[in-house]
């Protein structure tokens, strides 16, 4: 069952529109499967780019930015 909900979608992390397309894709898949926003994002890239990627994920609405304080 888990593998039926695993998808690969290449994203150019320097292109915000790719993250918007990813967000739209994820939203459609969640609605089809009647899932809530319990997501896992795997970044197959160098750790150096993680900040850029997580900022773009937050801007697209895929993840929620949590700040302490």
């Amino acid at each position: 069952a888990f593998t039926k909900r695993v998808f690969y979608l290449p994203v150019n992390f320097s292109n915000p529109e790719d993250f918007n397309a990813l967000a739209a894709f994820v939203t459609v898949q969640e609605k089809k499967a009647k899932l809530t926003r319990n997501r896992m994002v795997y970044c197959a890239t160098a750790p150096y780019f993680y900040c850029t990627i997580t900022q773009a994920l937050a801007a697209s609405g895929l993840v929620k930015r949590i700040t302490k304080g």
Side-chain angles (χ1 to χ4, degrees), residues 2-55:
F2 173 75
T3 57
K4 291 181 182 180
R5 294 192 179 125
V6 174
F7 300 94
Y8 171 77
L9 188 65
V11 173
N12 177 346
F13 58 83
S14 64
N15 183 2
E17 287 304 313
D18 280 7
F19 287 92
N20 293 334
L22 176 62
F25 177 80
V26 168
T27 299
V28 168
Q29 296 306 314
E30 286 176 338
K31 286 180 182 178
K32 281 183 183 178
K34 297 181 174 131
L35 297 172
T36 57
R37 296 174 50 123
N38 186 11
R39 301 172 177 153
M40 178 178 67
V41 177
Y42 173 74
C43 300
T45 189
Y48 175 81
F49 299 112
Y50 287 176
C51 275
T52 302
I53 293 168
T54 55
Q55 288 171 352

